[in-house]
Amino acid sequence: MNVLDIINKTKRKIKLSAEEIGALVSGFTDGSIPDYQMASWLMAVCINGLTDDETIALTLAMRDTGEVLDLSCIENTTIDKHSTGGVGDKTSLVIGPIAAACGVCVPKMSGRGLGHTGGTIDKLESISGYDTELPVDRFLSVAKETGFSIISQTEELCPADKKMYALRNSTGTVDSIPLICSSIMSKKLAMNADCILLDVKYGSGAFMKTYEDACKLALLMERVGKAAGKRCRAAVTDMSVPLGNNIGNALEVKEALDILSGRSKGTLYRLCIELAAEMLELAGKGTNEECRTLAAEAVSSGKALDILEKTIALHGGDSRVCRDTSLLPQARFSYEIKAAEDMKITAINSEEIGMTSLMLGAGRVSKDDVIDMSAGIVMNCEVGKRIGEGETIMTLYSTVCSDFTEASQRALSAIEFVKFR
Ligand code: URA
């Protein structure tokens, strides 16, 4: 194989064979192909794209650079769920336990947050003692026992993706639909669940800024999943506004617990029921309508909360948080942003809200930064809501930051509103 030929072919939009793609991926992973040649090929992909067949070959080649999990010890249908990420997205913490309560098994590996988006692993680590790095055999035994477990991604899964993603990040080659698809799907295929539900977000807080691009990515991921023999479905959902009211790790766990304990029945609850129903339908539990009913019952009966409680305990975490959310990390400082006049909210920029949360200490600018688990924002506003003069628009929380001047300015700039009398 000549790497230069491969780069030139993609540069000239000539289709690569699966063998050529396989050789490129394994050569880059084992270090025989240098970064500069891989970066050049990635840029050619960014500009010219790949065919669906090439994307499938790339995904399978990336999957095969590492371990593919053996889930045969789990009798129930296994299902994995992936969100392309966003601001305030705590749906995995809600729908995993719901699906498990309905008789499917959700063993999941998740990531940490970077930049303005949060990560499920950080959220779970806000629960005192929760071990996100259980060895794979213990992870599988928790999943088998409760139907739900989440750990952080192991080094053994898709080493190609780790290396390629780092290179893409530093060479301006992240925003390519076939590269995003192969990066996500190679990890999902290595996880090896029977079914995969993908939640592709679009809008200001998401990777895909437009609905059209999100649909393209969703379709491509479904195609790749099915080509690999999986039952796979991709939902396209809105991330132009933050998901739910709470942003920040412990605050998001609290909101997830509020939903699972039936205290919160708003937009986020409805989205979670919808996504859980998609999972259950994919796993063969009935029609979409029947699955919605099953999902709602899993919450109202308290079964889903019981499962999360048991899972947290088996991970070594303080499961009392499920019944008493005041045991989650609490911020030392808070600041209420109040309306200076009567207003109606017309838009909320998720990305800016995510950046404000980052300023408060809830996220990382670079991957080794330490997170303030208590930090974040509680929104008292949604698009269309009227807020009277002096009422709270949102509250900022932090333990590492006591001066809210800059953060409150940034948070306010994320809100668009009209005055009303
Ligand atoms: N998430 C991933 O895992 N990979 C991408 O390329 C983008 C988002």
Side-chain angles (χ1 to χ4, degrees):
M1 182 219 29
N2 182 330
V3 186
L4 213 49
D5 282 347
I6 292 184
I7 297 170
N8 278 324
K9 276 188 175 175
T10 303
K11 186 175 77 182
R12 295 183 188 125
K13 296 192 185 175
I14 299 168
K15 191 175 163 184
L16 297 174
S17 68
E19 289 70 33
E20 286 171 312
I21 291 176
L24 180 72
V25 170
S26 61
F28 176 63
T29 310
D30 69 24
S32 55
I33 293 175
D35 279 8
Y36 58 84
Q37 284 188 313
M38 193 61 173
S40 173
W41 183 75
L42 291 168
M43 186 55 86
V45 173
C46 260
I47 293 166
N48 288 335
L50 290 176
T51 65
D52 288 2
D53 284 346
E54 287 175 305
T55 309
I56 291 166
L58 176 62
T59 310
L60 297 180
M62 289 168 72
R63 176 197 66 185
D64 292 340
T65 56
E67 191 185 341
V68 175
L69 285 196
D70 176 4
L71 303 182
S72 59
C73 64
I74 297 171
E75 272 167 39
N76 285 347
T77 303
T78 50
I79 182 156
D80 198 358
K81 177 254 172 192
H82 180 84
S83 157
T84 56
V87 178
D89 187 353
K90 68 282 287 174
T91 53
S92 291
L93 300 179
V94 180
I95 67 179
I98 292 179
C102 299
V104 300
C105 181
V106 189
K108 186 168 157 43
M109 289 191 189
S110 291
R112 294 181 186 280
L114 189 61
H116 73 279
T117 62
T120 304
I121 290 301
D122 298 326
K123 294 171 209 204
L124 284 167
E125 286 182 353
S126 74
I127 301 168
S128 168
Y130 187 105
D131 186 353
T132 56
E133 294 188 348
L134 287 185
V136 168
D137 57 340
R138 279 196 46 213
F139 157 64
L140 293 180
S141 80
V142 174
K144 201 172 163 188
E145 189 169 341
T146 70
F148 173 63
S149 177
I150 300 186
I151 56 169
S152 63
Q153 188 171 329
T154 64
E155 297 284 325
E156 287 73 34
L157 239 69
C158 286
D161 178 61
K162 194 165 182 204
K163 243 184 130 180
M164 282 169 72
Y165 196 75
L167 187 61
R168 285 167 60 207
N169 237 339
S170 58
T171 55
T173 52
V174 169
D175 58 344
S176 148
I177 288 177
L179 294 180
I180 295 175
C181 170
S182 53
S183 165
I184 294 172
M185 290 306 291
S186 58
K187 289 174 283 199
K188 295 291 109 183
L189 296 180
M191 213 19 252
N192 206 14
D194 303 314
C195 318
I196 305 168
L197 178 71
L198 301 155
D199 179 9
V200 183
K201 306 276 184 205
Y202 69 92
S204 64
F207 263 106
M208 296 288 116
K209 298 297 175 202
T210 67
Y211 178 71
E212 289 69 28
D213 276 350
C215 289
K216 277 188 209 157
L217 177 61
L219 266 179
L220 186 60
M221 290 203 290
E222 268 190 7
R223 209 162 280 160
V224 170
K226 285 176 185 165
K230 301 295 179 191
R231 278 181 263 166
C232 183
R233 186 174 293 171
V236 175
T237 62
D238 186 5
M239 188 35 83
S240 58
V241 293
L243 214 50
N245 297 323
N246 294 11
I247 297 108
N249 297 290
L251 290 168
E252 291 190 40
V253 171
K254 177 181 181 312
E255 192 171 22
L257 290 169
D258 284 346
I259 291 175
L260 285 175
S261 54
R263 285 190 292 272
S264 172
K265 294 268 180 187
T267 318
L268 182 61
Y269 166 81
R270 288 192 294 276
L271 174 68
C272 289
I273 295 295
E274 218 172 278
L275 288 173
E278 293 281 340
M279 274 174 122
L280 294 171
E281 192 186 357
L282 202 54
K285 290 288 171 186
T287 63
N288 195 270
E289 197 163 332
E290 287 163 349
C291 291
R292 272 168 199 264
T293 307
L294 284 176
E297 280 169 5
V299 175
S300 60
S301 64
K303 252 176 114 179
L305 183 63
D306 290 347
I307 283 174
L308 182 59
E309 189 174 25
K310 209 165 160 197
T311 298
I312 292 173
L314 288 171
H315 276 261
D318 182 357
S319 58
R320 293 173 307 160
V321 297
C322 291
R323 313 286 158 183
D324 179 0
T325 57
S326 72
L327 294 169
L328 288 163
Q330 306 290 320
R332 242 180 106 191
F333 309 107
S334 65
Y335 180 84
E336 283 182 51
I337 302 179
K338 295 191 187 254
E341 56 206 329
D342 293 347
M343 58 169 68
K344 181 176 174 183
I345 307 291
T346 54
I348 302 171
N349 183 318
S350 289
E351 191 163 356
E352 282 304 297
I353 292 292
M355 290 308 293
T356 306
S357 181
L358 189 68
M359 287 169 81
L360 294 168
R364 302 183 180 81
V365 178
S366 62
K367 77 176 177 29
D368 296 325
D369 288 352
V370 176
I371 285 183
D372 173 358
M373 290 296 180
S374 70
I377 304 170
V378 173
M379 314 278 293
N380 183 39
C381 57
E382 55 188 63
V383 173
K385 183 170 174 173
R386 289 178 171 224
I387 300 180
E389 183 184 336
E391 284 176 11
T392 302
I393 306 174
M394 60 183 116
T395 308
L396 312 184
Y397 293 92
S398 185
T399 295
V400 295
C401 158
S402 56
D403 180 352
F404 290 91
T405 316
E406 268 185 60
S408 59
Q409 277 164 4
R410 187 147 198 177
L412 257 184
S413 73
I415 305 283
E416 285 177 35
F417 59 89
V418 289
K419 297 175 194 174
F420 76 92
R421 302 193 176 278

